[in-house]
Amino acid sequence: MSTTSTGASPILRSFALDRLGDRAFRGESVQDERRPVVFGGQIMGQMIVAASRYEPAKTVRSLHVIFARSGTIKHPVEVELDPVHSGRALASVSATAAQGERVLSRGLLLLDAGEPDVIRHQVPVAPVGGPLDAPPVAAPSPGAELRLVDGVDLMTTAATGPPELHVWVRFSDVPDDAALHQALLSWYTDGFLIAAAMRPHEGIGQEQAHETLSTGVLAHTLTFHEPVRADRWLLISNRSLHAGGGRGYGEGHVFTEDGQLVASFVQQNMIRYFRDAPGVRGKAAGAM
């Protein structure tokens, strides 16, 4: 039985997990004609929802995920939880995402019941203007709205700029479920740091990803500072800090429209030339 109703959005449907047992869940894979592999943001969102269903009195505070190998969108993803600790204030679980016997990813999630302030401060929001000041771009899922600050063209290899991207995102018709709002945000923290790393380098761009360049996320850490509403405008500020040796590393911060910092993340990713011919790559991507 699905844990929640999520309407027509493929992304939200992937977070409507079937409960297979006390610690086992299964979710659909989001179909994408451009990419035959499971998106890392989907796996992170499914882990967040699974952990929240297992520990309903607490909220996910942070997760750290290693992406060991790619999965195919032809099959759903199963998430198995292994509790580490559950106390009055804090809980932690490990999560394994798999397709059959093929382990795709493992994560550690920290949950808490909330605490009052002792101190409070935050980094300032970037002075990039509001969401309506940025031009819209085509969103890959019904219900999603994306706006790229300065109208940066991610698909061209000719234009260059600093190794950063500022993206306004909003999602309509989200059920009133804190875990789903967190899961949606995790989806959108996954995809822009590789593009930010490519941006300073002429002749390198997102249009080459999955064609001549092998790109993907290897590890991702996301921390929620405050409750998140994915159905309101959120500014995701991405900055690549280092690239070299076929790897990239960057950080990001997520702000509300009025400048409140609600989440932060860091990511290690892969940016390298393919080692195999296209035919071999296609067979490997669909293998279980």
Side-chain angles (χ1 to χ4, degrees):
M1 181 178 178
S2 174
T3 57
T4 189
S5 173
T6 54
S9 164
I11 299 176
L12 279 171
R13 283 203 306 271
S14 76
F15 300 147
L17 304 183
D18 295 319
R19 195 153 193 167
L20 307 179
D22 182 42
R23 304 174 185 174
F25 301 81
R26 179 175 58 212
E28 295 181 18
S29 290
V30 178
Q31 304 302 299
D32 190 333
E33 295 179 355
R34 303 163 303 168
R35 181 180 53 232
V37 298
V38 176
F39 185 52
Q42 173 194 312
I43 292 176
M44 289 193 294
Q46 290 170 334
M47 287 182 176
I48 288 171
V49 173
S52 298
R53 301 298 180 251
Y54 183 73
E55 286 277 357
K58 298 181 177 68
T59 302
V60 172
R61 181 63 65 182
S62 65
L63 71 159
H64 176 69
V65 183
I66 298 293
F67 298 99
R69 57 171 65 89
S70 62
T72 172
I73 59 175
K74 296 179 181 178
H75 302 288
V77 172
E78 295 185 0
V79 177
E80 181 80 26
L81 302 180
D82 183 10
V84 179
H85 167 74
S86 182
R88 288 181 297 174
L90 297 168
S92 50
V93 298
S94 65
T96 300
Q99 291 180 320
E101 297 298 318
R102 184 180 176 86
V103 174
L104 309 181
S105 175
R106 284 209 169 104
L108 285 171
L109 295 92
L110 175 70
L111 303 92
D112 69 30
E115 304 278 0
D117 283 349
V118 176
I119 58 174
R120 175 173 287 271
H121 65 266
Q122 68 165 67
V123 297
V125 63
V128 297
L132 299 185
D133 298 322
V137 296
S141 175
E145 296 180 75
L146 275 73
R147 291 175 172 266
L148 275 171
V149 173
D150 296 330
V152 177
D153 186 353
L154 300 181
M155 299 307 293
T156 181
T157 59
T160 60
E164 59 186 36
L165 287 171
H166 301 280
V167 186
W168 286 102
V169 302
R170 182 171 65 174
F171 210 100
S172 61
D173 300 323
V174 185
D176 190 16
D177 183 324
L180 289 178
H181 286 264
Q182 289 185 322
L184 281 169
L185 177 58
S186 73
W187 176 284
Y188 286 107
T189 64
D190 182 84
F192 293 102
L193 276 169
I194 291 175
M198 292 177 169
R199 194 178 174 205
H201 305 282
E202 187 174 359
I204 300 293
Q206 280 283 85
E207 66 180 9
Q208 298 168 300
H210 311 298
E211 297 294 335
T212 59
L213 290 177
S214 177
T215 63
V217 177
L218 301 176
H220 194 96
T221 298
L222 171 61
T223 297
F224 297 101
H225 309 301
E226 304 289 346
V228 169
R229 293 289 308 195
D231 55 356
R232 299 173 186 169
W233 284 114
L234 295 171
L235 176 67
I236 305 180
S237 293
N238 305 267
R239 185 185 180 198
S240 177
L241 303 178
H242 178 268
R247 302 290 182 265
Y249 180 83
E251 66 177 9
H253 301 288
V254 184
F255 299 89
T256 60
E257 194 172 356
D258 62 2
Q260 183 186 35
L261 179 69
V262 294
S264 299
F265 57 97
V266 295
Q267 181 186 98
Q268 183 180 21
N269 47 54
M270 175 179 69
I271 307 170
R272 70 183 186 192
Y273 290 108
F274 276 110
R275 298 176 177 178
D276 301 313
V280 176
R281 299 202 305 268
K283 292 177 182 178
M288 281 292 288

